[in-house]
Amino acid sequence: MALVARPVSRAGLGALALVPLAFLVVFFAWPVLAIIGRGFAGNGVLIALAQGETWRLAWFTVAQAAGSTVIAVLAGMPLAFVLARLRLPGVALLRTLVLVPFVLPTVVVGLAFRALWPDGGVVSIVLANAFFNVAVVARTVAGLWSHVDSRAEDAARTLGASRWRAFRSVTLPALLPAVTSAAAVVFLFCATSFGVVLVLGGARFRTLETEIYLRTENLLDLTGAAALSLVQIAAVLAVLMLGAVARRRRETALKLRARKETARRPVKGEWWIVAAAVAVVGMLLTPIAGLLIRSVSTTDGWSLAGYRALSSTGNNGTLQISGWGAAVNSLLTATDATVLALVIGVTAAVVVVTLRRTSGRMSHGLAESLDAALMLPLGVSAVTVGFGYLITLDALPGDLRTSPLLVPFAQALVIIPLIVRMVLPVLRSIDERLRQAAATLGAGPVRVWREIDVPLTIRSVVAAAGFGYVVALGEFGATSFLARPQTPTLPVAIASLIARPGVVNNQMAYAACALLMVVTMATVIVIDRFGAGRVGEF
């Protein structure tokens, strides 16, 4: 009879689960419910929901997110094919380049697209959001495509089907779980996009996210903001459920297709797919190159004036500290947020995996519920959470509203789902027989984790920490609301600079964006190499 690893005690697992649960309750559920509760006062939410403007904003939010999702899926599929099926020089570099846009700060991307389309508008918003999320489609679909047996498609070709018909009838249905999962995630990211819409849409084009910010920050209309938050949360829950179903189908598909396909050279018409993938990469690099060029361009020619101006506070003291001071604040804040998110995220992933390894429908149900709860912060307005902090956290000892940890807490809430999604699949993939063997030799649950799980997941944890760091470094939604004028992060400083026109301000903003972009790209390249090209769901 096979021996199994001794399970962690219920008390120990419960204590471990309290860490992420307590964090979610105090720093997510409580602030959000407080804002919604205020909005419900006097039936204000019902009145706001009856207004046509609310549903116009909801329609535009859904429409631009749907458009961005379609473009991201169409652009990501050729890349997924190249990454999964082909052996070509530069594929490893391609894998890294595709990932760079996903972790760029939103305000940087917004400014990059504004350099290409100075007037902004719907098209630039849709393209910018798609630009962010091509990597999600390419790398998620490639992960499943590399396991799909190509012999079924070859058989269809032998029976006379065209290459397109064979793909549509055989391969595409097999890839559908990954495509659906990726599309759900992309739609969620696009629907809650903040920095891009704020920079490119201005006052003309607003989504639920930017309208919540406007009503909370500028108008103090808590009733209207609460109503919009309810609409947004309802839509997000629907997308999260769809994504969870698609993710489970994708994981099942991966288990059923354990055979890894050998990459090969392109043949015949596949070179057209390679050309399409190269064209997509070229389009992804265009805004990046445009921003870098813009950062050294002035009316008098090439100049580093913007970078030199970072030692100042801009035109007429736009900032209260220098641009370099804001950069230092960003580094310190992102470090604090990453450490906190890593502790919460890894603990949550361990709890979810342990519950799933425990027999019983209740344990599996608890695991699914915790996994879904950890994803909720992705879909709730960061502005809602930030304002909720200001009206609730004074009840805690020490009044966190005046603490320098306020921004790191908000940033950690944003990156915890990313860390969980990167670490959790790796933990799930560990062969249970290794753990059973360790238990057979007398290792207790803690030692099994130390000797088996930790060595096998350490790369994904480090990679998750790196990606979390660059996301925190560029986080703009919650930070724009919570950061004090005396201690802005670099993205907040950039937004302040572009809000007050002037030659020096514009030069500083583009130079600061270029710095954030270079740091992000360098970090992604190092981590992607360290993570051997793919970590978790990325």
Side-chain angles (χ1 to χ4, degrees):
M1 183 175 64
L3 295 174
V4 297
R6 286 172 288 173
V8 179
S9 67
R10 291 180 181 272
L13 186 60
L16 204 61
L18 280 178
V19 176
L21 286 175
F23 184 85
L24 283 177
V25 169
V26 175
F27 295 102
F28 175 67
W30 183 24
V32 171
L33 291 175
I35 287 291
I36 293 175
R38 285 202 173 194
F40 268 115
N43 293 325
V45 167
L46 297 177
I47 295 173
L49 290 176
Q51 295 176 350
E53 177 68 8
T54 298
W55 299 106
R56 188 192 67 79
L57 289 168
W59 181 89
F60 179 74
T61 300
V62 171
Q64 63 86 25
S68 299
T69 302
V70 170
I71 293 174
V73 170
L74 293 177
M77 291 299 287
L79 293 170
F81 176 78
V82 172
L83 295 177
R85 292 293 199 192
L86 302 184
R87 182 173 61 249
L88 288 169
V91 168
L93 177 61
L94 175 67
R95 188 185 301 275
T96 301
L97 290 177
V98 167
L99 189 59
V100 169
F102 178 67
V103 293
L104 284 177
T106 57
V107 67
V108 170
V109 174
L111 207 56
F113 274 81
R114 200 168 83 165
L116 297 175
W117 285 280
D119 295 332
V122 177
V123 173
S124 61
I125 292 173
V126 170
L127 291 178
N129 279 330
F131 168 87
F132 262 119
N133 294 292
V134 168
V136 176
V137 177
R139 292 174 68 116
T140 300
V141 176
L144 179 56
W145 206 336
S146 63
H147 290 74
V148 173
D149 195 335
S150 63
R151 290 176 294 185
E153 186 174 339
D154 294 339
R157 294 292 309 281
T158 302
L159 295 174
S162 65
R163 186 177 299 277
W164 166 244
R165 184 176 180 183
F167 170 78
R168 189 184 64 216
S169 303
V170 179
T171 305
L172 186 58
L175 296 177
L176 201 57
V179 174
T180 306
S181 176
V185 172
V186 171
F187 183 88
L188 181 64
F189 287 156
C190 295
T192 56
S193 176
F194 178 64
V196 165
V197 180
L198 194 66
V199 173
L200 297 175
R204 294 180 299 159
F205 303 101
R206 304 192 304 276
T207 60
L208 288 170
E209 185 82 355
T210 56
E211 184 69 9
I212 291 169
Y213 173 82
L214 173 65
R215 297 194 183 192
T216 306
E217 174 76 357
N218 296 343
L219 304 178
L220 291 179
D221 178 13
L222 295 186
T223 298
L228 298 181
S229 295
L230 287 174
V231 174
Q232 187 181 52
I233 290 171
V236 165
L237 287 174
V239 175
L240 285 175
M241 287 189 289
L242 176 63
V245 172
R247 188 165 59 248
R248 284 195 294 270
R249 291 178 58 194
R250 178 163 58 88
E251 290 170 356
T252 302
L254 280 171
K255 290 178 182 177
L256 294 176
R257 300 175 176 88
R259 175 175 173 268
K260 178 79 172 180
E261 283 292 307
T262 303
R264 54 175 173 73
R265 296 278 298 177
V267 295
K268 298 180 181 179
E270 291 177 349
W271 283 105
W272 288 105
I273 303 177
V274 174
V278 171
V280 170
V281 173
M283 288 186 285
L284 292 178
L285 293 178
T286 297
I288 295 175
L291 180 59
L292 293 174
I293 293 172
R294 181 65 180 80
S295 71
V296 293
S297 301
T298 66
T299 54
D300 299 324
W302 304 110
S303 173
L304 296 177
Y307 294 91
R308 289 192 293 268
L310 288 175
S311 60
S312 71
T313 57
N315 284 343
N316 301 319
T318 298
L319 305 176
Q320 294 192 21
I321 63 173
S322 68
W324 292 114
V328 171
N329 286 338
S330 289
L331 295 174
L332 296 176
T333 302
T335 300
D336 293 338
T338 303
V339 171
L340 178 61
L342 203 60
V343 172
I344 302 298
V346 173
T347 301
V350 168
V351 171
V352 171
V353 167
T354 303
L355 286 171
R356 286 183 173 174
R357 288 172 179 165
T358 304
S359 60
R361 296 181 61 180
M362 180 176 293
S363 296
H364 288 203
L366 290 174
E368 293 296 329
S369 298
L370 179 58
D371 192 5
L374 291 165
M375 297 301 105
L376 284 176
L378 284 178
V380 177
S381 167
V383 175
T384 299
V385 175
F387 197 85
Y389 281 7
L390 297 183
I391 66 173
T392 58
L393 297 188
D394 61 319
L396 296 178
D399 191 359
L400 281 178
R401 297 180 304 174
T402 60
S403 171
L405 291 176
L406 185 62
V407 172
F409 274 120
Q411 292 182 351
L413 194 65
V414 172
I415 62 178
I416 284 173
L418 174 64
I419 290 176
V420 172
R421 290 269 65 84
M422 294 180 72
V423 175
L424 186 56
V426 179
L427 283 173
R428 288 176 184 166
S429 68
I430 295 175
D431 193 338
E432 186 64 20
R433 290 173 296 181
L434 295 174
R435 310 181 83 255
Q436 293 171 358
T440 302
L441 296 174
V446 175
R447 188 173 181 184
V448 170
W449 279 103
R450 187 176 70 244
E451 301 293 339
I452 303 297
D453 296 75
V454 172
L456 293 175
T457 59
I458 188 64
R459 291 168 70 91
S460 68
V461 171
V462 174
F467 283 120
Y469 184 81
V470 294
V471 170
L473 197 64
E475 204 285 323
F476 179 62
T479 308
S480 65
F481 191 76
L482 296 173
R484 298 180 179 182
Q486 309 93 311
T487 55
T489 60
L490 200 52
V492 174
I494 292 169
S496 299
L497 290 168
I498 62 178
R500 295 179 61 180
V503 175
V504 175
N505 283 359
N506 282 334
Q507 291 175 342
M508 285 180 64
Y510 280 105
C513 283
L515 285 177
L516 273 175
M517 184 181 292
V518 169
V519 171
T520 299
M521 292 175 65
T523 304
V524 169
I525 290 171
V526 171
I527 292 171
D528 207 41
R529 291 291 182 268
F530 180 82
R534 180 176 172 83
V535 179
E537 296 189 8
F538 296 94

